[in-house]
Each structure stands twice: as structure tokens, then as C-alpha cells.
Amino acid sequence: MRDDDDSKLTRTKRKWADEGKFLTGHITRPETDRLPPGQHLVKNWPVLDLGQQPVIRPENWRLDVKGGAENPTSFGWTDFLALPQSQKLSDIHCVTTWSRYDNRWEGVSTRDLLDLVMPRPEADFVLLTSYDGYTTNLPLADFAAEDAILATHWEGQPLSVEHGGPMRLVVPHLYFWKSAKWLTRVDFLPGDQAGFWERNGYHMRGDPWREERYSDD
């Protein structure tokens, strides 16, 4: 590795570490504050989508990481599974008011992906696109959260189609509509760009502890 590449990678890793303040509730908050306001606990995992659940065969699956990246990359399924694998434990919170504690995920940390593709300095936001046409937006700092993961497994089993398999994003500290199912494209952008629900009245960020559910919240 060249010296300039090494210094760039070091700076990037330091940036992700600095942004480690974006963590899920039970890591950074006392137990009494673990459940965001307006939420109730469930033991099951409710299914919500746009009315279709695309079935993607592994040999046809692709993840394109494009836009403002130094190393734009397209991954096939075998390529993706060859990336460093991580395990995460997190709570999830849906804007429809349910929360589920202690979900065990396996997959690729978003920070490992970011270290590979290297977003350009002007890239402050992420636009996510799914196989069903769904889109949603995130600040890059939220996408780079310590416990954010491109998940292929939940509770030790491959993600089911209904929950976004074969791979979905999980960003636990935001409402779960930001954690796009069936993810197929990640674009780094210099400015924020509303996704599907954001264009239809939902909040641009979606912090559960601030109850950022709708655009006027």
C-alpha cells in the first residue's frame, strides 16, 4: 500500500471512530431510556413493505456502490460474502410504534464497506435504492454508525425474503424505514435527496428519541 493510500485509509478510519457517537439506545442510554417515546415492545418482527417482496437469486444479486466514491464498486454475492464479516447486537424501532430489543445480525459492517469504496470529501449523504424500487436517504455519518450493518443473517439464520433477504441495511439508531430492505445500490451525494417516504411526508432523518416521524416533527 502506498503512503498516500495508507494515510487516506487512516484518516477515514479515524473519521468513522469520531462518528461513533451514533449508537443504538441500549449501548449509549440507561435501561430506563432504552425505549424511545411513543414506542411499545414486541417479541415478533412485523413485516412492512410496499406491497411486493422481490425474490433475488444469489447468482443474480448485485450491490452497486456508486456516486461520489474514490473506488466505485459492484459486488456479486460471492464478492460480498468475501468481505470482512461482522456480528452486531442492536434494538430496532419502527415508525409504526413497535420496537424489538436485542436483535443479532451478521453481515458486512458499513464502516468496512466505506473503507473499501472511500467516499469523497464532499459526499455528506447517502441515497439507498432497493430491488423493489424503494429509496431512502441518510446522512453519511448515520450510515457510518458503529453498529450499522449490511445484514445477511438475523438470529443465526439467513434473512428471509419478507425481511429483506438476501441482504438489507440495518441502522439501529434511526426509525427502521431508513434500513432499506433488498438493497441493491448505494450512492454518495454532496447534498441530501429525499427518498420514497421522505417525499411522502416522513422526516428527512428519523431519530426515534426525538420522535422525528413526519416532516413537520
Side-chain angles (χ1 to χ4, degrees):
M1 182 180 291
R2 301 193 312 269
D3 289 343
D4 57 340
D5 289 337
D6 181 61
S7 62
K8 182 183 293 184
L9 184 59
T10 300
R11 289 195 302 271
T12 303
K13 287 183 180 293
R14 188 179 300 118
K15 181 172 182 282
W16 307 151
D18 290 344
E19 289 163 353
K21 58 183 177 294
F22 298 107
L23 304 177
T24 54
H26 76 282
I27 296 175
T28 59
R29 300 169 191 270
E31 186 69 24
T32 53
D33 294 335
R34 187 174 176 182
L35 188 67
Q39 298 292 110
H40 69 279
L41 285 178
V42 299
K43 296 293 186 181
N44 62 331
W45 186 2
V47 176
L48 298 170
D49 53 51
L50 297 183
Q52 58 177 316
Q53 296 176 359
V55 178
I56 306 109
R57 296 175 62 86
E59 61 267 27
N60 297 326
W61 181 91
R62 296 205 69 79
L63 175 66
D64 295 325
V65 185
K66 302 292 186 180
E70 299 285 351
N71 304 311
T73 307
S74 292
F75 300 94
W77 188 242
T78 302
D79 303 325
F80 188 75
L81 294 183
L83 296 176
Q85 299 294 300
S86 297
Q87 296 181 345
K88 306 287 184 180
L89 177 69
S90 62
D91 303 343
I92 55 178
H93 310 288
C94 183
V95 71
T96 60
T97 76
W98 61 261
S99 294
R100 190 182 191 281
Y101 285 170
D102 295 327
N103 298 273
R104 291 171 172 81
W105 311 98
E106 298 173 38
V108 176
S109 165
T110 58
R111 291 188 177 187
D112 286 334
L113 180 76
L114 291 165
D115 284 340
L116 179 63
V117 300
M118 298 295 296
R120 294 173 182 158
E122 66 272 17
D124 290 328
F125 295 91
V126 178
L127 184 68
L128 309 166
T129 303
S130 301
Y131 269 96
D132 63 344
Y134 179 77
T135 56
T136 192
N137 57 305
L138 288 171
L140 179 58
D142 288 325
F143 186 77
E146 182 186 34
D147 52 3
I149 188 170
L150 302 165
T152 58
H153 290 71
W154 176 73
E155 298 298 328
Q157 298 296 320
L159 270 179
S160 64
V161 171
E162 65 183 358
H163 286 305
M167 189 275 281
R168 70 171 300 154
L169 176 65
V170 176
V171 180
H173 68 279
L174 298 181
Y175 282 125
F176 216 43
W177 91 77
K178 295 292 188 176
S179 295
K181 296 181 179 181
W182 309 298
L183 187 61
T184 187
R185 186 177 177 102
V186 177
D187 286 287
F188 300 106
L189 305 173
D192 206 1
Q193 181 175 323
F196 176 82
W197 284 118
E198 294 80 16
R199 294 193 303 271
N200 285 278
Y202 277 45
H203 199 275
M204 287 291 280
R205 180 155 184 261
D207 183 337
W209 285 271
R210 297 181 178 179
E211 290 197 84
E212 293 175 341
R213 302 176 189 273
Y214 306 109
S215 56
D216 56 354
D217 289 338

